Amino acid sequence: MNIILMGPPGAGKGTQARHLVDTRGMVQLSTGDMLREAKDSGTEMGRVVADVMARGALVTDEIVIGLIREKLETVQGNGFIFDGFPRTLAQADALGDLLAATGQGLDAVIEMEVDDEALVSRITARSTCGNCGEVYNDITKPQPEDGKCSNCGASDFKRRADDNEDSLRTRLMEYYKKTSPLIGYYYAKGLLEKVDGLGEIAQVQAAISKVLDKSSI
Ligand code: AMP
């Protein structure tokens, strides 16, 4: 089963995707993670995208479609979770074509609904474990006092360069202008499912599980 997790920055897509990887053996394909990896390893493409990402703007369709194409050709697993992709109509069309070329399709597009105020406070307080990706929040889930990740024990906490109010404003505008039209696009295909992204992590997990169980029947 292949699904898309959609929602504005800070909606909790990454957290929910990791849970699906752990519990269902699905494969998370996050274009944001792929681009950050390219940036950190200093590749030519990483250099090209660094400034765009720091501003919170979207990287070109060509680059991200290329990254997804490569993964679909090389990675196998118990279904894909597209996290942060597609973000434009052109990317959505390309994804449909790439999946169709291997006889696959999409089973559900899950829109995680959250309000803007919650996003600002989630994002500006966010840090993650650089080793396992566990997400922390300065107010609701502070980093452990012993300085070790509660999930994997590593001591390598990171804050994203684009998790600041200026970049977040641009990221939100990009989402509303270029990505939110995909809600209608997938609704028209009968694939859209909405879940409330504001609840406790476990409640959101349960709501997503319900959608997946229904879609796999
Ligand atoms: P994310 O980790 O999904 O929040 O993505 C971080 C940043 O990477 C975004 O703000 C964009 O600059 C870039 N990015 C990630 N995925 C895409 C995409 N599908 N299309 C264009 N830019 C993307």
Side-chain angles (χ1 to χ4, degrees):
M1 129 167 304
N2 299 317
I3 65 163
I4 294 174
L5 287 183
M6 256 191 83
K13 302 184 292 294
T15 300
Q16 294 299 329
R18 261 192 309 284
H19 179 70
L20 293 174
V21 170
D22 291 345
T23 55
R24 295 185 182 242
M26 296 176 78
V27 175
Q28 178 187 12
L29 294 182
S30 156
T31 39
D33 285 350
M34 294 173 208
L35 292 165
R36 276 184 290 279
E37 253 172 57
K39 202 167 57 112
D40 293 347
S41 56
T43 62
E44 173 60 26
M45 189 246 285
R47 273 194 296 276
V48 172
V49 299
D51 176 57
V52 179
M53 289 176 75
R55 280 191 289 116
L58 291 191
V59 170
T60 64
D61 289 336
E62 198 189 349
I63 289 180
V64 289
I65 291 168
L67 288 170
I68 289 288
R69 179 183 296 116
E70 197 185 313
K71 292 286 179 192
L72 291 181
E73 283 167 3
T74 52
V75 179
Q76 290 190 339
N78 191 23
F80 295 112
I81 309 155
F82 296 96
D83 162 12
F85 180 93
R87 266 174 153 102
T88 64
L89 288 166
Q91 293 177 23
D93 282 339
L95 177 60
D97 292 346
L98 287 170
L99 288 172
T102 53
Q104 300 185 73
L106 284 168
D107 298 279
V109 176
I110 298 172
E111 182 199 356
M112 300 177 64
E113 295 183 295
V114 277
D115 63 49
D116 286 2
E117 223 161 283
L119 298 176
V120 176
S121 60
R122 273 190 191 181
I123 288 234
T124 50
R126 172 164 80 175
S127 63
T128 54
C129 170
N131 183 46
C132 72
E134 184 76 1
V135 180
Y136 293 88
N137 178 290
D138 296 341
I139 296 136
T140 57
K141 187 184 166 188
Q143 293 170 9
E145 280 181 9
D146 65 2
K148 294 194 175 124
C149 173
S150 54
N151 185 49
C152 73
S155 305
D156 177 26
F157 298 105
K158 292 195 163 130
R159 284 184 199 270
R160 280 172 47 168
D162 59 349
D163 275 354
N164 60 71
E165 279 201 61
D166 272 357
S167 301
L168 178 58
R169 213 166 300 129
T170 309
R171 287 157 69 194
L172 278 175
M173 284 305 128
E174 292 284 66
Y175 180 77
Y176 291 121
K177 273 194 292 194
K178 298 175 184 165
T179 309
S180 66
L182 298 185
I183 294 169
Y185 175 97
Y186 285 119
Y187 175 78
K189 291 181 186 287
L191 291 171
L192 190 72
E193 300 280 352
K194 290 175 186 282
V195 303
D196 178 4
L198 272 182
E200 296 286 319
I201 289 177
Q203 285 172 337
V204 183
Q205 282 168 355
I208 291 178
S209 257
K210 220 164 130 187
V211 170
L212 295 199
D213 293 341
K214 187 179 82 179
S215 303
S216 64
I217 291 167

mmCIF file of all heavy atoms in Angstrom, residues 88-128:
data_model
loop_
_atom_site.group_PDB
_atom_site.id
_atom_site.type_symbol
_atom_site.label_atom_id
_atom_site.label_comp_id
_atom_site.label_asym_id
_atom_site.label_seq_id
_atom_site.Cartn_x
_atom_site.Cartn_y
_atom_site.Cartn_z
ATOM 1 N N THR A 88 3.646 20.071 -5.437
ATOM 2 C CA THR A 88 3.072 20.879 -6.529
ATOM 3 C C THR A 88 2.261 19.928 -7.422
ATOM 4 O O THR A 88 2.440 18.697 -7.369
ATOM 5 C CB THR A 88 4.167 21.525 -7.405
ATOM 6 O OG1 THR A 88 4.903 20.475 -8.048
ATOM 7 C CG2 THR A 88 5.119 22.404 -6.607
ATOM 8 N N LEU A 89 1.421 20.527 -8.274
ATOM 9 C CA LEU A 89 0.631 19.700 -9.186
ATOM 10 C C LEU A 89 1.529 18.930 -10.146
ATOM 11 O O LEU A 89 1.263 17.769 -10.472
ATOM 12 C CB LEU A 89 -0.373 20.569 -9.952
ATOM 13 C CG LEU A 89 -1.540 21.084 -9.092
ATOM 14 C CD1 LEU A 89 -2.298 22.195 -9.799
ATOM 15 C CD2 LEU A 89 -2.491 19.946 -8.729
ATOM 16 N N ALA A 90 2.613 19.575 -10.596
ATOM 17 C CA ALA A 90 3.530 18.885 -11.521
ATOM 18 C C ALA A 90 4.149 17.656 -10.841
ATOM 19 O O ALA A 90 4.313 16.597 -11.455
ATOM 20 C CB ALA A 90 4.626 19.839 -11.998
ATOM 21 N N GLN A 91 4.490 17.800 -9.562
ATOM 22 C CA GLN A 91 5.055 16.655 -8.827
ATOM 23 C C GLN A 91 4.008 15.553 -8.663
ATOM 24 O O GLN A 91 4.323 14.357 -8.749
ATOM 25 C CB GLN A 91 5.567 17.096 -7.452
ATOM 26 C CG GLN A 91 6.766 18.034 -7.500
ATOM 27 C CD GLN A 91 7.192 18.512 -6.118
ATOM 28 O OE1 GLN A 91 6.919 17.869 -5.107
ATOM 29 N NE2 GLN A 91 7.883 19.649 -6.066
ATOM 30 N N ALA A 92 2.758 15.955 -8.433
ATOM 31 C CA ALA A 92 1.698 14.956 -8.258
ATOM 32 C C ALA A 92 1.495 14.164 -9.553
ATOM 33 O O ALA A 92 1.366 12.932 -9.535
ATOM 34 C CB ALA A 92 0.397 15.634 -7.836
ATOM 35 N N ASP A 93 1.497 14.874 -10.692
ATOM 36 C CA ASP A 93 1.364 14.180 -11.983
ATOM 37 C C ASP A 93 2.534 13.225 -12.192
ATOM 38 O O ASP A 93 2.357 12.077 -12.629
ATOM 39 C CB ASP A 93 1.344 15.199 -13.137
ATOM 40 C CG ASP A 93 -0.025 15.876 -13.267
ATOM 41 O OD1 ASP A 93 -1.017 15.313 -12.780
ATOM 42 O OD2 ASP A 93 -0.068 16.981 -13.847
ATOM 43 N N ALA A 94 3.740 13.705 -11.874
ATOM 44 C CA ALA A 94 4.937 12.876 -12.077
ATOM 45 C C ALA A 94 4.881 11.624 -11.197
ATOM 46 O O ALA A 94 5.220 10.520 -11.638
ATOM 47 C CB ALA A 94 6.205 13.683 -11.776
ATOM 48 N N LEU A 95 4.422 11.787 -9.953
ATOM 49 C CA LEU A 95 4.343 10.634 -9.058
ATOM 50 C C LEU A 95 3.362 9.599 -9.617
ATOM 51 O O LEU A 95 3.657 8.396 -9.623
ATOM 52 C CB LEU A 95 3.904 11.067 -7.658
ATOM 53 C CG LEU A 95 3.714 9.939 -6.653
ATOM 54 C CD1 LEU A 95 5.016 9.151 -6.435
ATOM 55 C CD2 LEU A 95 3.199 10.459 -5.310
ATOM 56 N N GLY A 96 2.225 10.081 -10.104
ATOM 57 C CA GLY A 96 1.249 9.159 -10.695
ATOM 58 C C GLY A 96 1.886 8.370 -11.833
ATOM 59 O O GLY A 96 1.725 7.144 -11.924
ATOM 60 N N ASP A 97 2.639 9.061 -12.691
ATOM 61 C CA ASP A 97 3.277 8.391 -13.838
ATOM 62 C C ASP A 97 4.339 7.390 -13.377
ATOM 63 O O ASP A 97 4.437 6.288 -13.904
ATOM 64 C CB ASP A 97 3.944 9.429 -14.767
ATOM 65 C CG ASP A 97 2.904 10.296 -15.464
ATOM 66 O OD1 ASP A 97 1.711 9.933 -15.441
ATOM 67 O OD2 ASP A 97 3.299 11.350 -16.011
ATOM 68 N N LEU A 98 5.149 7.809 -12.387
ATOM 69 C CA LEU A 98 6.234 6.926 -11.921
ATOM 70 C C LEU A 98 5.660 5.644 -11.316
ATOM 71 O O LEU A 98 6.176 4.543 -11.538
ATOM 72 C CB LEU A 98 7.098 7.641 -10.866
ATOM 73 C CG LEU A 98 8.034 8.732 -11.398
ATOM 74 C CD1 LEU A 98 8.638 9.532 -10.242
ATOM 75 C CD2 LEU A 98 9.155 8.098 -12.232
ATOM 76 N N LEU A 99 4.594 5.783 -10.533
ATOM 77 C CA LEU A 99 3.996 4.591 -9.919
ATOM 78 C C LEU A 99 3.336 3.720 -10.985
ATOM 79 O O LEU A 99 3.492 2.489 -10.993
ATOM 80 C CB LEU A 99 2.974 4.996 -8.851
ATOM 81 C CG LEU A 99 3.560 5.581 -7.563
ATOM 82 C CD1 LEU A 99 2.467 6.132 -6.658
ATOM 83 C CD2 LEU A 99 4.378 4.530 -6.805
ATOM 84 N N ALA A 100 2.636 4.363 -11.925
ATOM 85 C CA ALA A 100 1.933 3.595 -12.973
ATOM 86 C C ALA A 100 2.933 2.792 -13.810
ATOM 87 O O ALA A 100 2.633 1.674 -14.249
ATOM 88 C CB ALA A 100 1.126 4.535 -13.856
ATOM 89 N N ALA A 101 4.129 3.344 -13.999
ATOM 90 C CA ALA A 101 5.133 2.675 -14.831
ATOM 91 C C ALA A 101 5.557 1.334 -14.235
ATOM 92 O O ALA A 101 6.047 0.451 -14.939
ATOM 93 C CB ALA A 101 6.350 3.577 -14.998
ATOM 94 N N THR A 102 5.364 1.163 -12.906
ATOM 95 C CA THR A 102 5.704 -0.127 -12.284
ATOM 96 C C THR A 102 4.435 -0.851 -11.823
ATOM 97 O O THR A 102 4.482 -1.688 -10.912
ATOM 98 C CB THR A 102 6.662 0.068 -11.088
ATOM 99 O OG1 THR A 102 6.074 1.024 -10.201
ATOM 100 C CG2 THR A 102 8.028 0.541 -11.536
ATOM 101 N N GLY A 103 3.311 -0.479 -12.421
ATOM 102 C CA GLY A 103 2.053 -1.160 -12.099
ATOM 103 C C GLY A 103 1.533 -0.853 -10.710
ATOM 104 O O GLY A 103 0.728 -1.599 -10.152
ATOM 105 N N GLN A 104 1.979 0.264 -10.123
ATOM 106 C CA GLN A 104 1.525 0.610 -8.772
ATOM 107 C C GLN A 104 0.589 1.810 -8.807
ATOM 108 O O GLN A 104 0.399 2.439 -9.845
ATOM 109 C CB GLN A 104 2.721 0.965 -7.893
ATOM 110 C CG GLN A 104 3.736 -0.138 -7.726
ATOM 111 C CD GLN A 104 4.799 0.291 -6.743
ATOM 112 O OE1 GLN A 104 4.554 0.353 -5.550
ATOM 113 N NE2 GLN A 104 5.978 0.600 -7.259
ATOM 114 N N GLY A 105 0.054 2.136 -7.659
ATOM 115 C CA GLY A 105 -0.799 3.321 -7.552
ATOM 116 C C GLY A 105 -0.775 3.822 -6.129
ATOM 117 O O GLY A 105 -0.010 3.321 -5.297
ATOM 118 N N LEU A 106 -1.627 4.807 -5.852
ATOM 119 C CA LEU A 106 -1.754 5.330 -4.502
ATOM 120 C C LEU A 106 -3.013 4.756 -3.875
ATOM 121 O O LEU A 106 -4.029 4.599 -4.552
ATOM 122 C CB LEU A 106 -1.880 6.856 -4.536
ATOM 123 C CG LEU A 106 -0.602 7.635 -4.808
ATOM 124 C CD1 LEU A 106 -0.938 9.097 -5.101
ATOM 125 C CD2 LEU A 106 0.357 7.545 -3.622
ATOM 126 N N ASP A 107 -2.953 4.462 -2.567
ATOM 127 C CA ASP A 107 -4.121 3.915 -1.885
ATOM 128 C C ASP A 107 -4.848 4.972 -1.060
ATOM 129 O O ASP A 107 -6.049 4.876 -0.864
ATOM 130 C CB ASP A 107 -3.696 2.752 -0.985
ATOM 131 C CG ASP A 107 -3.094 1.640 -1.822
ATOM 132 O OD1 ASP A 107 -3.863 0.858 -2.399
ATOM 133 O OD2 ASP A 107 -1.852 1.591 -1.953
ATOM 134 N N ALA A 108 -4.103 5.941 -0.550
ATOM 135 C CA ALA A 108 -4.745 7.004 0.236
ATOM 136 C C ALA A 108 -3.828 8.215 0.321
ATOM 137 O O ALA A 108 -2.603 8.084 0.303
ATOM 138 C CB ALA A 108 -5.062 6.511 1.652
ATOM 139 N N VAL A 109 -4.452 9.384 0.410
ATOM 140 C CA VAL A 109 -3.723 10.633 0.649
ATOM 141 C C VAL A 109 -4.285 11.198 1.940
ATOM 142 O O VAL A 109 -5.482 11.507 2.018
ATOM 143 C CB VAL A 109 -3.925 11.634 -0.512
ATOM 144 C CG1 VAL A 109 -3.253 12.960 -0.204
ATOM 145 C CG2 VAL A 109 -3.384 11.038 -1.811
ATOM 146 N N ILE A 110 -3.447 11.250 2.968
ATOM 147 C CA ILE A 110 -3.935 11.646 4.284
ATOM 148 C C ILE A 110 -3.544 13.093 4.551
ATOM 149 O O ILE A 110 -2.363 13.431 4.605
ATOM 150 C CB ILE A 110 -3.360 10.718 5.371
ATOM 151 C CG1 ILE A 110 -3.841 9.291 5.090
ATOM 152 C CG2 ILE A 110 -3.787 11.188 6.760
ATOM 153 C CD1 ILE A 110 -3.214 8.237 5.971
ATOM 154 N N GLU A 111 -4.557 13.934 4.688
ATOM 155 C CA GLU A 111 -4.292 15.345 4.973
ATOM 156 C C GLU A 111 -4.352 15.551 6.481
ATOM 157 O O GLU A 111 -5.379 15.293 7.111
ATOM 158 C CB GLU A 111 -5.335 16.243 4.287
ATOM 159 C CG GLU A 111 -5.048 17.712 4.532
ATOM 160 C CD GLU A 111 -6.253 18.619 4.300
ATOM 161 O OE1 GLU A 111 -7.321 18.145 3.872
ATOM 162 O OE2 GLU A 111 -6.105 19.824 4.571
ATOM 163 N N MET A 112 -3.249 16.010 7.063
ATOM 164 C CA MET A 112 -3.215 16.263 8.506
ATOM 165 C C MET A 112 -3.564 17.728 8.741
ATOM 166 O O MET A 112 -2.816 18.625 8.363
ATOM 167 C CB MET A 112 -1.830 15.928 9.053
ATOM 168 C CG MET A 112 -1.485 14.461 8.810
ATOM 169 S SD MET A 112 0.168 14.022 9.346
ATOM 170 C CE MET A 112 0.031 14.301 11.100
ATOM 171 N N GLU A 113 -4.718 17.938 9.354
ATOM 172 C CA GLU A 113 -5.202 19.314 9.531
ATOM 173 C C GLU A 113 -4.733 19.887 10.873
ATOM 174 O O GLU A 113 -4.904 19.256 11.918
ATOM 175 C CB GLU A 113 -6.728 19.322 9.509
ATOM 176 C CG GLU A 113 -7.309 18.912 8.168
ATOM 177 C CD GLU A 113 -8.818 19.008 8.168
ATOM 178 O OE1 GLU A 113 -9.447 18.244 8.929
ATOM 179 O OE2 GLU A 113 -9.363 19.830 7.433
ATOM 180 N N VAL A 114 -4.152 21.087 10.809
ATOM 181 C CA VAL A 114 -3.698 21.785 12.030
ATOM 182 C C VAL A 114 -3.848 23.289 11.793
ATOM 183 O O VAL A 114 -3.813 23.719 10.650
ATOM 184 C CB VAL A 114 -2.205 21.514 12.355
ATOM 185 C CG1 VAL A 114 -1.994 20.231 13.082
ATOM 186 C CG2 VAL A 114 -1.366 21.518 11.111
ATOM 187 N N ASP A 115 -3.991 24.077 12.868
ATOM 188 C CA ASP A 115 -4.087 25.517 12.599
ATOM 189 C C ASP A 115 -2.716 26.184 12.703
ATOM 190 O O ASP A 115 -1.795 25.671 13.326
ATOM 191 C CB ASP A 115 -5.162 26.194 13.456
ATOM 192 C CG ASP A 115 -4.846 26.115 14.927
ATOM 193 O OD1 ASP A 115 -3.701 26.440 15.309
ATOM 194 O OD2 ASP A 115 -5.734 25.731 15.692
ATOM 195 N N ASP A 116 -2.618 27.364 12.037
ATOM 196 C CA ASP A 116 -1.314 28.028 11.891
ATOM 197 C C ASP A 116 -0.651 28.346 13.224
ATOM 198 O O ASP A 116 0.564 28.257 13.356
ATOM 199 C CB ASP A 116 -1.471 29.337 11.108
ATOM 200 C CG ASP A 116 -1.696 29.066 9.632
ATOM 201 O OD1 ASP A 116 -1.757 27.884 9.250
ATOM 202 O OD2 ASP A 116 -1.808 30.043 8.870
ATOM 203 N N GLU A 117 -1.459 28.726 14.224
ATOM 204 C CA GLU A 117 -0.862 29.101 15.499
ATOM 205 C C GLU A 117 -0.116 27.917 16.117
ATOM 206 O O GLU A 117 0.992 28.063 16.641
ATOM 207 C CB GLU A 117 -1.961 29.552 16.453
ATOM 208 C CG GLU A 117 -1.594 30.789 17.222
ATOM 209 C CD GLU A 117 -2.858 31.419 17.774
ATOM 210 O OE1 GLU A 117 -3.582 32.072 17.004
ATOM 211 O OE2 GLU A 117 -3.122 31.188 18.959
ATOM 212 N N ALA A 118 -0.739 26.734 16.026
ATOM 213 C CA ALA A 118 -0.098 25.538 16.580
ATOM 214 C C ALA A 118 1.195 25.254 15.828
ATOM 215 O O ALA A 118 2.194 24.813 16.412
ATOM 216 C CB ALA A 118 -1.035 24.351 16.475
ATOM 217 N N LEU A 119 1.214 25.541 14.526
ATOM 218 C CA LEU A 119 2.408 25.252 13.727
ATOM 219 C C LEU A 119 3.590 26.104 14.167
ATOM 220 O O LEU A 119 4.707 25.609 14.313
ATOM 221 C CB LEU A 119 2.142 25.523 12.241
ATOM 222 C CG LEU A 119 1.056 24.674 11.612
ATOM 223 C CD1 LEU A 119 0.817 25.098 10.179
ATOM 224 C CD2 LEU A 119 1.454 23.208 11.681
ATOM 225 N N VAL A 120 3.323 27.411 14.388
ATOM 226 C CA VAL A 120 4.418 28.309 14.773
ATOM 227 C C VAL A 120 5.043 27.823 16.076
ATOM 228 O O VAL A 120 6.264 27.692 16.184
ATOM 229 C CB VAL A 120 3.922 29.776 14.911
ATOM 230 C CG1 VAL A 120 5.044 30.670 15.399
ATOM 231 C CG2 VAL A 120 3.382 30.272 13.580
ATOM 232 N N SER A 121 4.194 27.497 17.076
ATOM 233 C CA SER A 121 4.787 27.103 18.349
ATOM 234 C C SER A 121 5.458 25.725 18.242
ATOM 235 O O SER A 121 6.503 25.498 18.848
ATOM 236 C CB SER A 121 3.785 27.157 19.498
ATOM 237 O OG SER A 121 2.735 26.295 19.230
ATOM 238 N N ARG A 122 4.903 24.836 17.429
ATOM 239 C CA ARG A 122 5.547 23.519 17.277
ATOM 240 C C ARG A 122 6.915 23.659 16.627
ATOM 241 O O ARG A 122 7.893 23.037 17.037
ATOM 242 C CB ARG A 122 4.712 22.627 16.365
ATOM 243 C CG ARG A 122 3.639 21.861 17.095
ATOM 244 C CD ARG A 122 3.059 20.837 16.163
ATOM 245 N NE ARG A 122 1.862 20.244 16.703
ATOM 246 C CZ ARG A 122 1.164 19.299 16.084
ATOM 247 N NH1 ARG A 122 1.543 18.861 14.905
ATOM 248 N NH2 ARG A 122 0.105 18.793 16.627
ATOM 249 N N ILE A 123 6.970 24.484 15.586
ATOM 250 C CA ILE A 123 8.201 24.540 14.792
ATOM 251 C C ILE A 123 9.311 25.307 15.487
ATOM 252 O O ILE A 123 10.466 24.889 15.471
ATOM 253 C CB ILE A 123 7.885 25.181 13.421
ATOM 254 C CG1 ILE A 123 7.080 24.184 12.621
ATOM 255 C CG2 ILE A 123 9.132 25.633 12.720
ATOM 256 C CD1 ILE A 123 7.591 23.846 11.290
ATOM 257 N N THR A 124 8.958 26.435 16.141
ATOM 258 C CA THR A 124 10.039 27.219 16.736
ATOM 259 C C THR A 124 10.585 26.527 17.995
ATOM 260 O O THR A 124 11.682 26.832 18.439
ATOM 261 C CB THR A 124 9.583 28.660 17.048
ATOM 262 O OG1 THR A 124 8.362 28.590 17.769
ATOM 263 C CG2 THR A 124 9.370 29.459 15.769
ATOM 264 N N ALA A 125 9.828 25.572 18.563
ATOM 265 C CA ALA A 125 10.310 24.858 19.757
ATOM 266 C C ALA A 125 10.880 23.481 19.409
ATOM 267 O O ALA A 125 11.238 22.711 20.282
ATOM 268 C CB ALA A 125 9.149 24.692 20.741
ATOM 269 N N ARG A 126 10.971 23.167 18.097
ATOM 270 C CA ARG A 126 11.292 21.793 17.698
ATOM 271 C C ARG A 126 12.790 21.494 17.670
ATOM 272 O O ARG A 126 13.593 22.288 17.219
ATOM 273 C CB ARG A 126 10.699 21.560 16.311
ATOM 274 C CG ARG A 126 11.097 20.257 15.656
ATOM 275 C CD ARG A 126 10.196 19.912 14.506
ATOM 276 N NE ARG A 126 10.497 20.609 13.270
ATOM 277 C CZ ARG A 126 9.878 20.362 12.115
ATOM 278 N NH1 ARG A 126 8.912 19.462 12.059
ATOM 279 N NH2 ARG A 126 10.199 21.010 11.031
ATOM 280 N N SER A 127 13.166 20.326 18.137
ATOM 281 C CA SER A 127 14.522 19.801 17.891
ATOM 282 C C SER A 127 14.368 18.304 17.642
ATOM 283 O O SER A 127 13.341 17.714 17.971
ATOM 284 C CB SER A 127 15.460 20.072 19.074
ATOM 285 O OG SER A 127 15.000 19.414 20.226
ATOM 286 N N THR A 128 15.375 17.701 17.020
ATOM 287 C CA THR A 128 15.280 16.265 16.756
ATOM 288 C C THR A 128 16.591 15.587 17.118
ATOM 289 O O THR A 128 17.643 16.225 17.183
ATOM 290 C CB THR A 128 15.008 15.954 15.260
ATOM 291 O OG1 THR A 128 16.007 16.594 14.488
ATOM 292 C CG2 THR A 128 13.649 16.399 14.809
#
